[in-house]
Amino acid sequence: MASVTPSGSLEPDNTDPVRQSPDEGTGFVSDAEGITRVALPAGKHISSALAQSAAQVAAQLAAGKPRPVMVDITGILSIDREARNLIGRATSASAVAIVGSSPVDRVVGNFILGAEPPDFPVQFFSAAAEALLWLDRYRDGT
Amino acid sequence: MEHNSDQRLTQLIEGIVRLSRGDLASRIEPSAARDEIDAVIIGVNLLAEELEQVYDQFEKRVENRTAMLRQAHRDMQKMAMSDGLTGLANRVALMNALEQTLLEAKTFGSPPALILLDLDSFKNVNDRFGHDAGDRVLQQVAARLNGVVRGSDLVARLGGDEFAILVPAATMDSAMRVANRALESLGQIIELDEVHVNSRASIGLRLAEQNQSAEAVLLDADTAMYAAKREGRNIIKVFEPMMMYHRKLRSQMATELRSAVRDDELELNYQPVVELDTGLIQGMEVLVRWNHPVRGLLQPDTFIPYAEETGAIHDIDRWVIAHALERLARWRNELTLHPSFQLRVNLSAVELSQLDLVEYIRSLLKKFDLPASCLVVEITESAMITRGEVEMYSLLSLQKMGVGIEIDDFGTGYSSISYLRSLPVSMVKVDRSLLQDLEDGSRYEFIRAILQLIRAAGLQALFEGIETETQARTLRELGCTSGQGYFFSRPLAEAAATALISSTTHLKVPDLV
């Protein structure tokens, strides 16, 4: 298993897939058995620049082959329009699960779902486990 | 906790009020609780952001569309203000600029001058070489005019072969210099591939007066230009008030002429054409008079030139030929005319260029049951000079039909006998001016030479203006067969003409010596 920071460097397989990235403000992208996990930074406003940076890392991880993506938005303050649209336009995703726990997360998550309709399935989940279960069917070879 | 919720709800309401007042940039601050109230706050914030961006995009789109509309308006304005063929300013642009310079003259004192140019004989270029060549000539003229003006002057094309130069803040001297340069540059032949065109122009110049309107300046310059055209072309005429008087007179004459035709104010006179040997009345030349309600009976030389200039000649020609043929038909029915009796009708150059002329004459001959051979059309030498396609078609068709064709006023134009031979003409009427001083020995030889030439070309000669017995006798001696003039008979009103040919078939001839 490898994890990638938004700066783009591949790290050794034995790193903790859910640890914070060196820069807490830019979120964290990791690979969890064929599923890309993107954790957006809690307490932050998600700008399009930040989303772009995360998308680039996710694309590197996918290496040209679309794969399921879980985007954890728990605790984010808000997300701007362009950033929301970026998720819908991701070419490296075969499906996207958006995960959040609070009522705020649910509202924000549904705004993301309401953005530009993507070519792949997108759904909101209030628990990561449910999301992973749903994404599992979109993994390569299944 | 309850109190805290109330406070946050109040905050939320105030935020919504701010948004509803149009402050779409305002946001409501959520708490750290991330509870339902925060969810509503975040939702409202996100909706506000959406709305703000949609508004923003909408504004930008309106801005873009407005800019496109303005550009389209500018393009259209440019198109509406310029001449498509030459790229020069058009009439609208010229008039706008003229108005502007007249306005400036009120403040600064120096009036503008307007120069109008009309190409001489441009119609011939289109007729002979086609409209493509005509267009290229116009483009060349535009380029030449642009080459002779100063930066502050404006060259415009008013339509057809009419151009204008606006000289702002002008003096008579400065305007004349521009006009002279234009005249000189147009005087040089335009060479387009195989086509060489003489592009000379008639030029009218008007130095505007204080408080004159743009329309008045244009009309004055136009009047001066027409004066230049009338006075021989390829010259510059500066506007004089007398020109306007003549113009109004002509315009009044044109209106009156049209109603003269409509109200049958025209009448026909008939002058016998006589065989010089025997005195046989070979036919009559039809001459038109205008019984003007105020000015009395007018001779053709007082109104035909105006009719030709204003286009009224077309209606007059048609009226004359229809009425003359109707008269001839009645004579043939009521009297015993000599079988060779012919009616001679004058046709203008304009008429000859009408595509339906041949059909018109054919239908009249049919209507009055007349043989084509009883009609001779008289055409002036100058009308033959242009020799356009339609003119030649008319002549050839008339000849084929059996109508006689005669060149009128021979000796006043520039046509040579060899040129006349190439036309479908059977007779030549020698102009009266050549008969003067016939008793003079050299003049006698001159007439003899002319007659020989005409005969050598296989044409018949007829002399007009025979006033004395000596003239009649001399012409007969020289071998001229036909003639007309006061010696035989003045032009006669219809009743007198009828009376004459009812009573006799011959007129007096000089005693044979």
Side-chain angles (χ1 to χ4, degrees):
Chain A
M1 185 181 289
S3 68
V4 186
T5 64
S7 58
S9 61
L10 276 170
E11 292 184 3
D13 222 3
N14 59 357
T15 49
D16 177 359
V18 288
R19 74 168 175 85
Q20 291 288 304
S21 88
D23 176 0
E24 288 186 1
T26 57
F28 186 79
V29 181
S30 62
D31 179 13
E33 294 168 355
I35 294 176
T36 303
R37 295 181 67 160
V38 180
L40 294 176
K44 298 277 180 191
H45 172 80
I46 310 302
S47 65
S48 61
L50 193 149
Q52 182 78 52
S53 158
Q56 270 174 7
V57 179
Q60 273 182 326
L61 210 56
K65 200 171 177 190
R67 52 192 277 166
V69 178
M70 186 175 86
V71 181
D72 192 346
I73 61 166
T74 304
I76 64 168
L77 272 186
S78 67
I79 179 165
D80 74 20
R81 198 168 196 241
E82 190 45 35
R84 298 201 299 269
N85 286 339
L86 266 175
I87 293 172
R89 278 189 233 127
T91 50
S92 58
S94 57
V96 173
I98 295 161
V99 180
S101 52
S102 70
V104 172
D105 297 339
R106 197 174 148 223
V107 168
V108 173
N110 278 284
F111 263 90
I112 294 171
L113 296 181
E116 282 182 13
D119 295 334
F120 45 78
V122 187
Q123 208 163 311
F124 180 81
F125 297 93
S126 50
E130 282 175 52
L132 288 169
L133 202 64
W134 180 75
L135 284 174
D136 194 44
R137 68 178 99 155
Y138 298 105
R139 269 201 303 190
D140 188 29
T142 60
Chain B
M1 189 68 193
E2 189 72 23
H3 177 68
N4 191 26
S5 290
D6 284 353
Q7 256 188 346
R8 288 169 63 208
L9 279 173
T10 306
Q11 239 184 353
L12 173 60
I13 291 166
E14 279 168 2
I16 291 173
V17 167
R18 281 198 304 277
L19 291 171
S20 63
R21 281 182 183 153
D23 181 11
L24 294 179
S26 87
R27 295 287 177 269
I28 307 160
E29 196 58 43
S31 74
R34 298 183 75 80
D35 58 6
E36 278 79 4
I37 295 178
D38 285 323
V40 174
I41 288 173
I42 292 293
V44 170
N45 280 346
L46 285 166
L47 284 173
E49 187 192 335
E50 282 284 300
L51 203 58
E52 195 182 9
Q53 288 185 359
V54 167
Y55 266 38
D56 205 39
Q57 283 170 357
F58 185 67
E59 289 284 334
K60 276 192 184 124
R61 198 178 298 173
V62 168
E63 218 170 84
N64 276 343
R65 295 283 155 89
T66 310
M68 280 163 72
L69 209 64
R70 285 207 186 102
Q71 186 58 44
H73 187 244
R74 274 195 295 273
D75 291 347
M76 271 173 64
Q77 211 167 20
K78 199 177 165 198
M79 258 162 60
M81 299 296 252
S82 65
D83 171 52
L85 178 67
T86 60
L88 295 178
N90 65 7
R91 182 182 288 268
V92 180
L94 175 79
M95 293 310 278
N96 285 350
L98 180 56
E99 265 163 29
Q100 186 59 38
T101 51
L102 285 166
L103 210 65
E104 284 162 9
K106 281 186 183 163
T107 319
F108 303 112
S110 299
L114 185 63
I115 299 168
L116 282 198
L117 309 95
D118 190 89
L119 301 186
D120 299 333
S121 326
F122 178 72
K123 187 181 167 291
N124 292 346
V125 178
N126 274 341
D127 287 353
R128 288 184 57 195
F129 307 117
H131 286 269
D132 246 20
D135 285 354
R136 282 191 294 153
V137 168
L138 293 174
Q139 286 166 337
Q140 276 275 336
V141 168
R144 286 191 184 183
L145 293 180
N146 262 331
V148 299
V149 297
R150 305 163 307 171
S152 55
D153 303 336
L154 178 75
V155 183
R157 178 171 169 236
L158 301 183
D161 56 349
E162 217 176 290
F163 292 82
I165 302 172
L166 174 65
V167 186
T171 61
M172 186 51 82
D173 274 356
S174 67
M176 269 308 262
R177 276 197 295 276
V178 175
N180 271 316
R181 285 202 300 271
L183 189 73
E184 197 183 321
S185 92
L186 294 184
Q188 290 153 19
I189 284 178
I190 292 179
E191 292 180 24
L192 299 168
D193 305 330
E194 304 288 290
V195 181
H196 292 195
V197 178
N198 203 326
S199 66
R200 282 181 304 205
S202 299
I203 299 180
L205 191 160
R206 174 54 157 154
L207 185 65
E209 282 176 6
Q210 277 289 335
N211 299 322
Q212 233 189 337
S213 72
E215 285 74 20
V217 176
L218 180 68
L219 183 66
D220 287 355
D222 189 63
T223 305
M225 184 189 78
Y226 272 98
K229 249 192 194 328
R230 286 165 63 80
E231 211 165 291
R233 298 153 183 250
N234 195 29
I235 51 167
I236 302 166
K237 293 296 286 183
V238 177
F239 175 79
E240 291 162 25
M242 190 53 108
M243 293 173 181
M244 189 55 86
Y245 169 74
H246 284 306
R247 181 178 185 145
K248 284 181 179 154
L249 200 68
R250 277 198 299 280
S251 145
Q252 188 188 343
M253 182 81 96
T255 315
E256 287 182 354
L257 270 170
R258 289 210 157 81
S259 59
V261 174
R262 199 181 52 234
D263 303 341
D264 280 343
E265 288 171 12
L266 302 178
E267 22 177 283
L268 298 180
N269 276 200
Y270 302 85
Q271 187 173 34
V273 173
V274 174
E275 191 174 53
L276 292 182
D277 262 347
T278 62
L280 172 73
I281 300 173
Q282 293 177 308
M284 301 273 197
E285 180 184 359
V286 179
L287 299 159
V288 66
R289 305 284 184 264
W290 180 6
N291 200 357
H292 192 281
V294 180
R295 295 161 65 197
L297 199 65
L298 301 179
Q299 296 296 310
D301 56 349
T302 61
F303 64 90
I304 291 294
Y306 290 120
E308 284 178 338
E309 197 177 304
T310 58
I313 191 70
H314 173 61
D315 293 339
I316 294 177
D317 274 346
R318 297 274 164 126
W319 188 95
V320 168
I321 196 163
H323 282 73
L325 288 178
E326 187 183 5
R327 179 70 267 175
L328 177 63
R330 275 198 272 152
W331 280 339
R332 284 168 63 97
N333 287 337
E334 294 162 9
L335 312 171
T336 312
L337 296 178
H338 190 275
S340 64
F341 187 93
Q342 286 179 313
L343 212 55
R344 318 175 97 84
V345 179
N346 293 281
L347 273 189
S348 66
V350 175
E351 204 46 44
L352 214 52
S353 66
Q354 301 296 311
L355 266 172
D356 67 335
L357 171 73
V358 175
E359 268 324 297
Y360 182 71
I361 290 179
R362 197 196 304 276
S363 68
L364 283 176
L365 291 170
K366 194 174 171 201
K367 179 180 172 188
F368 297 121
D369 193 22
L370 292 167
S373 59
C374 70
L375 175 66
V376 176
V377 293
E378 296 191 0
I379 292 147
T380 57
E381 241 188 302
S382 53
M384 293 286 196
I385 295 293
T386 53
R387 202 176 171 174
E389 279 176 25
V390 181
E391 285 87 340
M392 281 308 284
Y393 160 80
S394 298
L395 287 177
L396 287 166
S397 306
L398 287 173
Q399 188 194 42
K400 204 171 161 196
M401 208 194 297
V403 173
I405 295 163
E406 180 179 284
I407 294 287
D408 203 1
D409 304 334
F410 178 73
T412 55
Y414 302 97
S415 50
S416 64
I417 287 284
S418 62
Y419 174 68
L420 291 185
R421 279 187 72 181
S422 68
L423 295 171
V425 170
S426 53
M427 252 171 285
V428 172
K429 185 185 274 186
V430 182
D431 190 68
R432 64 186 67 237
S433 60
L434 271 64
L435 263 192
Q436 284 165 5
D437 310 320
L438 186 58
E439 294 79 5
D440 183 321
S442 62
R443 177 63 74 159
Y444 181 89
E445 286 307 318
F446 177 59
I447 297 286
R448 184 212 293 274
I450 288 178
L451 273 169
Q452 275 174 351
L453 272 173
I454 293 173
R455 276 199 298 265
L459 303 169
Q460 292 175 48
L462 186 157
F463 270 79
E464 63 175 355
I466 301 173
E467 291 181 358
T468 66
E469 186 172 349
T470 315
Q471 287 173 336
R473 184 181 292 119
T474 310
L475 287 171
R476 188 174 60 191
E477 282 166 14
L478 287 170
C480 176
T481 50
S482 308
Q484 71 185 90
Y486 283 11
F487 172 69
F488 302 108
S489 168
R490 291 171 167 270
L492 303 168
E494 192 176 295
T498 309
L500 175 74
I501 52 175
S502 319
S503 59
T504 181
T505 52
H506 289 73
L507 287 173
K508 62 177 175 184
V509 283
D511 292 332
L512 291 169
V513 283

